């Protein structure tokens, strides 16, 4: 604190001061696990760029691709594919690993694992762990991992963020020395983009998922927030709150016990993906999260792609985190070799299911579970700078016995699943996104008369500022009415009787948290473009009152109940205008019709 005051008084730059100190993070317990044996010495021919630094730093994108290209060229088990281009024009690359590369993803009984690193490029553990594992498959003793499994490995999903490298990007993270940036060059967080798919990187990734149809998806991150003993935490939507209940059961009953045992055997401490309820008082408990489809694990759940969100602990050394990730990936492959067919069957059962209802979102249960949590000691200190108190983690391990754990497992919003959604051909952006997600569409080639449901917006509030490049609907209320419509040729049907039917519901049910409606894809429905002049509406109102005497009483009741109406002459006109055939019949009407 004295050094900080001195720097502020002298007007010094803080960066050199903090860089020299290198002690702003909580103390870290000493660690040494058997996974240390995975690191190759600098004299070995296929030592990775990160290993050359002792797993203290991570190479830039050019050096990463250079190493991958040489590794791929040296092995018949590996192949390199460009699957897209970033916003700044960098190639998006994936490595395929298989005993039969020309048949990858062609055998439905052979499990396919998709591993993704660098969706947040400052959290790059998965890249360096993946390079080590691919090296050991190609030139070490790990080729047997491909006996019954194929692999797709994306080393960096956000290369533009990866190249925004600095020592000062992630203040709360211990290594690597140079860290990338969380967002893309368009300042989009790709792990909020799965549903809306605005970023070119995400659109390219969805192409990979649709083309190869992986059976298990591992998305590697690094945490922020609380300190605890766990170095490798991970999670998925649990069976009690999952759309894909069969896959979630496999993850819970088969995957988690096996991976936890492997990590523990290698000297790591695996833990659940949880967050503190109160950052200033850890004793209040932790929350367990059910992800919505904007996130990788929530998106995987609604499209029946079993997805693991790995969150390595940011305060553990980079070397320890990379080695723990290696163990997790290696044993995921071992497990798929042994139990992969059971996962494929579980996934198929989820795709074949056709439930009548779907929960769109969950909220935390007021009744907690309890867990013996391996945390750290902390002190609550008073800040001379902010004037408030803050948590100071001491780095000393502490067990929190029977700590309350509040899971998101109470249904918050739930809907009946319609037979289909219908969109007009003018909804080109939404239709294109549905195709990007792999959802099947059918276009009418002749008019068809249907009884449908029209959703009307009865109240709404947009956010005051943009989030992830869009102004979201902060709140909205709806009512529904049955309508008989003859839809002309060109209208598009989105049936829910398809493997991705529940993804269609998540994207098109307007009340869903990550629907296209919630993300603001339909701004036109909130605007009126035709109006009236008083000289034209006055005689029409007079005629209405003559022909409908009850209207006068209704108007007087509305005036008595609504002060804004009483005090606004234009709104008085609008009260009548809304009841005229001149009024825009599409205003505040959701432009997606539901077939019940």
């Amino acid at each position: 604190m004295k050094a900080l005051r001195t720097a502020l008084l002298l007007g010094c730059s803080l960066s050199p001061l903090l860089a020299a100190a290198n002690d702003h993070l909580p103390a870290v317990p000493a660690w040494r696990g058997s996974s240390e044996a995975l690191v190759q010495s600098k004299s070995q021919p296929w030592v990775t760029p990160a290993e050359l630094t002792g797993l203290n730093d991570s190479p830039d994108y050019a050096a990463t691709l250079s190493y991958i290209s040489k590794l791929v060229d040296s092995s018949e088990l590996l192949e390199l594919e460009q699957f897209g281009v970033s916003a700044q024009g960098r190639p998006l690359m994936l490595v395929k690993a298989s005993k039969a590369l020309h048949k990858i993803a062609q055998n439905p009984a052979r499990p396919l694992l998709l591993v993704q690193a660098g969706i947040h490029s400052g959290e790059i553990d998965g890249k360096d762990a993946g390079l080590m594992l691919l090296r050991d498959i190609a030139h070490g003793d790990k080729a047997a991992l491909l006996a019954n499994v194929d692999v797709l490995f994306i080393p960096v999903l956000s290369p533009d963020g990866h190249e925004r490298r600095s020592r000062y990007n992630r203040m709360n993270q211990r290594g690597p020395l140079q860290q990338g940036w969380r967002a893309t060059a368009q300042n989009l967080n790709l792990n909020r983009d799965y549903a809306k798919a605005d970023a070119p990187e995400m659109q390219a990734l969805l192409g990979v998922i649709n083309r190869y149809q992986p059976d298990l998806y591992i998305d590697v991150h690094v945490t922020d927030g609380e300190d605890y003993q766990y170095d490798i935490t991970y999670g998925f939507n649990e069976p009690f709150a999952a759309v894909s209940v069969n896959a979630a059961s496999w993850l819970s009953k088969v995957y988690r016990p096996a991976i936890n045992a492997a990590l523990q055997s290698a000297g790591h401490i695996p833990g659940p993906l949880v967050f503190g309820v109160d950052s200033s008082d850890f004793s209040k408990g932790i929350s367990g999260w059910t992800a919505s489809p904007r996130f990788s694990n929530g998106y995987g759940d609604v499209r029946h792609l079993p997805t693991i969100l790995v969150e390595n602990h940011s305060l553990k050394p980079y070397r320890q985190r990379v080695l723990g990730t290696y163990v997790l990936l290696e044993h995921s492959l071992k497990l798929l070799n042994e139990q992969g067919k059971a996962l494929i069957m579980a996934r198929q059962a989820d795709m074949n299911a056709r439930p009548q209802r779907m929960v769109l979102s969950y909220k935390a249960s007021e009744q907690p579970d309890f867990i013996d949590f391996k945390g750290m000691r902390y002190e609550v200190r008073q800040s001379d700078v902010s004037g408030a108190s803050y948590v100071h983690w001491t780095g000393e391990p502490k067990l929190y016995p029977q700590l309350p754990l509040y899971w998101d497992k109470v249904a918050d919003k739930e809907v009946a699943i319609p037979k289909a959604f219908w969109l007009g051909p003018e909804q080109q952006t939404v239709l294109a996104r549905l195709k990007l997600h792999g959802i099947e569409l059918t276009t009418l080639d002749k008019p068809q008369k249907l009884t449908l449901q029209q959703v009307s917006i009865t109240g709404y509030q947009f956010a005051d500022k943009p989030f992830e490049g869009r102004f979201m609907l902060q709140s909205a209320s709806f009512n529904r009415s049955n309508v008989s419509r003859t839809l002309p040729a060109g209208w598009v049907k989105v049936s829910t009787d398809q493997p991705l039917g529940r993804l269609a519901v998540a994207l098109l049910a307007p009340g869903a948290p990550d629907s296209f409606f919630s993300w603001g894809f339909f701004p036109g429905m909130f605007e009126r473009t035709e109006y009236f002049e008083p000289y034209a509406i006055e005689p029409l109102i007079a005629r209405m009152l003559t022909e409908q005497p009850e209207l006068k009483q209704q108007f007087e009741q509305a005036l008595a109940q609504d002060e804004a109406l009483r005090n606004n002459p234009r709104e008085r006109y609008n009260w009548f205008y809304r009841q005229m055939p001149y009024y825009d019949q599409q205003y505040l009407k959701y432009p997606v019709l539901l077939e019940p």
Side-chain angles (χ1 to χ4, degrees):
M1 192 67 197
K2 182 178 179 181
L4 176 60
R5 288 198 189 104
T6 302
L8 291 171
L9 288 171
L10 296 176
C12 297
S13 167
L14 291 179
S15 297
L17 177 70
L18 296 179
N22 196 30
D23 60 359
H24 66 286
L25 293 176
V28 60
W31 175 84
R32 188 167 185 85
S34 61
S35 59
E36 288 276 5
L38 297 169
V39 182
Q40 286 201 355
S41 68
K42 296 180 181 180
S43 62
Q44 296 298 315
W46 288 105
V47 61
T48 68
E51 286 173 310
L52 287 173
T53 73
L55 294 182
N56 291 315
D57 204 0
S58 186
D60 64 18
Y61 198 50
T64 298
L65 294 186
S66 175
Y67 180 85
I68 290 174
S69 296
K70 292 174 184 177
L71 184 65
V72 167
D73 289 344
S74 73
S75 173
E76 294 182 352
L77 298 175
L78 305 179
E79 186 173 283
L80 191 59
E81 175 185 316
Q82 180 175 344
F83 65 93
V85 179
S86 73
Q88 290 184 332
R90 292 183 174 89
L92 303 175
M93 308 301 295
L94 68 81
V95 182
K96 294 185 282 189
S98 174
K99 293 194 304 180
L101 289 166
H102 63 289
K103 293 183 179 180
I104 197 166
Q106 294 181 15
N107 182 353
R110 185 177 176 85
L112 176 62
L113 171 65
L114 171 59
V115 177
Q116 171 185 288
I119 188 172
H120 295 158
S121 287
E123 308 165 19
I124 204 62
D125 309 16
K127 179 191 75 174
D128 291 315
L131 294 185
M132 291 171 62
L133 182 57
L134 288 176
R135 180 267 318 282
D136 292 341
I137 289 173
H139 294 292
D141 57 357
K142 303 291 173 69
L145 293 174
L146 300 181
N148 301 300
V149 182
D150 296 329
V151 181
L152 302 176
F153 174 59
I154 299 175
V156 183
L157 182 60
S158 179
D160 298 345
H162 189 277
E163 293 310 279
R164 188 176 168 180
R165 290 159 58 85
S166 171
R167 296 181 179 218
Y168 305 109
N169 279 353
R170 287 181 60 79
M171 184 187 300
N172 309 322
Q173 182 174 302
R174 186 172 266 115
L177 186 62
Q178 293 280 342
Q179 300 165 0
W181 194 251
R182 184 178 181 85
T184 69
Q186 296 172 317
N187 206 32
L188 293 176
N189 181 339
L190 292 177
N191 202 30
R192 305 295 183 272
D193 198 43
Y194 279 84
K196 62 185 178 71
D198 282 335
E201 296 89 347
M202 182 54 62
Q203 294 178 5
L205 174 63
L206 294 181
V208 170
I209 291 172
N210 289 324
R211 186 163 66 255
Y212 287 103
Q213 294 292 322
D215 299 295
L216 182 63
Y217 178 22
I218 298 178
D219 178 25
V220 185
H221 293 248
V222 178
T223 66
D224 292 294
E226 295 84 8
D227 196 6
Y228 39 68
Q229 298 174 48
Y230 309 106
D231 55 356
I232 309 296
T233 71
Y234 62 92
F236 41 85
N237 282 2
E238 296 286 342
F240 50 70
V243 173
S244 300
V245 292
N246 295 287
S249 179
W250 187 92
L251 293 173
S252 176
K253 295 178 180 179
V254 179
Y255 184 87
R256 183 159 48 205
I259 298 305
N260 283 357
L263 285 164
Q264 289 167 353
S265 177
H268 296 274
I269 307 178
L273 179 57
V274 293
F275 307 90
V277 171
D278 184 342
S279 61
S280 64
D281 187 355
F282 200 70
S283 66
K284 289 183 179 179
I286 49 181
S287 62
W289 174 46
T290 296
S292 71
R294 73 184 61 175
F295 303 97
S296 61
N297 48 332
Y299 180 74
D301 185 26
V302 295
R303 73 166 292 146
H304 314 307
L305 169 54
T307 301
I308 306 291
L309 179 65
V310 177
E311 288 279 3
N312 296 332
H313 189 223
S314 62
L315 297 178
K316 301 300 184 288
Y318 188 59
R319 181 183 180 95
Q320 180 179 349
R321 301 196 321 256
V322 169
L323 294 176
T325 305
Y326 183 114
V327 173
L328 182 144
L329 297 180
E330 178 187 3
H331 286 271
S332 295
L333 283 170
K334 286 185 176 180
L335 185 64
L336 286 175
N337 272 283
E338 300 165 1
Q339 301 280 346
K341 291 184 178 180
L343 176 60
I344 290 173
M345 292 175 63
R347 182 169 176 249
Q348 192 63 52
D350 289 325
M351 289 191 286
N352 292 340
R354 297 293 185 269
Q356 294 183 341
R357 299 187 64 81
M358 176 172 164
V359 177
L360 301 178
S361 61
Y362 287 87
K363 59 184 178 181
S365 172
E366 295 181 358
Q367 301 300 320
D369 298 333
F370 294 92
I371 181 175
D372 290 337
F373 192 80
K374 297 178 180 179
M376 293 288 189
R377 295 184 186 277
Y378 68 92
E379 303 166 353
V380 177
R381 294 183 176 182
Q382 190 69 22
S383 170
D384 293 339
V385 176
S386 71
S389 61
Y390 70 98
V391 168
H392 169 78
W393 299 99
T394 68
E396 303 170 75
K398 176 183 177 179
L399 180 67
Y400 292 82
Q402 295 296 286
L403 191 67
L405 170 55
Y406 299 90
W407 279 107
D408 288 344
K409 60 181 178 181
V410 177
D412 184 30
K413 294 180 181 179
E414 186 176 359
V415 294
I417 297 177
K419 291 180 181 178
F421 299 93
W422 289 88
L423 295 86
E426 73 279 1
Q427 301 300 333
Q428 297 174 19
T429 300
V430 170
L431 291 171
R433 295 296 163 89
L434 291 169
K435 290 178 182 177
L436 267 174
H437 284 288
I439 294 172
E440 298 170 7
L441 310 178
T442 304
T443 302
L444 287 181
D445 57 5
K446 61 183 179 180
Q448 184 174 347
K449 187 174 182 179
L450 294 164
T451 298
L452 303 168
Q453 286 186 343
Q454 172 70 71
V455 177
S456 300
I457 314 305
T458 57
Y460 66 92
Q461 178 66 51
F462 276 94
D464 294 331
K465 59 183 180 179
F467 174 67
E468 293 302 321
R470 290 186 173 271
F471 281 90
M472 293 193 73
L473 269 295
Q474 224 167 26
S475 62
S477 53
F478 314 94
N479 66 28
R480 297 186 182 190
S481 57
N482 293 326
V483 295
S484 180
R485 293 279 298 273
T486 298
L487 302 180
W491 271 66
V492 177
K493 178 182 180 180
V494 184
S495 172
T496 57
D497 185 14
Q498 60 173 297
L500 296 183
R502 277 171 281 180
L503 175 57
V505 174
L507 296 175
L508 293 175
D514 287 320
S515 68
F516 292 132
F517 174 86
S518 294
W519 277 107
F521 274 72
F522 301 100
M525 64 178 290
F526 298 96
E527 300 179 56
R528 284 166 45 200
T529 57
E530 294 287 356
Y531 298 93
F532 60 83
E533 294 295 340
Y535 65 78
I537 201 170
E538 278 281 355
L540 292 174
I541 293 173
R543 187 184 303 169
M544 290 174 68
L545 291 172
T546 300
E547 295 174 354
Q548 305 174 55
E550 71 279 2
L551 204 59
K552 181 177 181 181
Q553 183 179 358
Q554 295 172 10
F555 180 55
E556 290 173 348
Q557 288 176 348
L559 287 173
Q561 296 170 2
D562 190 338
E563 183 178 358
L565 181 63
R566 287 197 304 272
N567 297 331
N568 189 325
R570 188 75 182 183
E571 273 305 304
R572 290 184 178 216
Y573 281 137
N574 273 327
W575 190 90
F576 288 95
Y577 183 45
R578 283 191 289 270
Q579 302 180 62
M580 293 179 179
Y582 292 97
Y583 189 72
D584 184 357
Q585 300 304 309
Q586 295 184 24
Y587 178 56
L588 296 183
K589 297 291 194 298
Y590 183 44
V592 180
L593 299 174
L594 283 64
E595 183 179 346

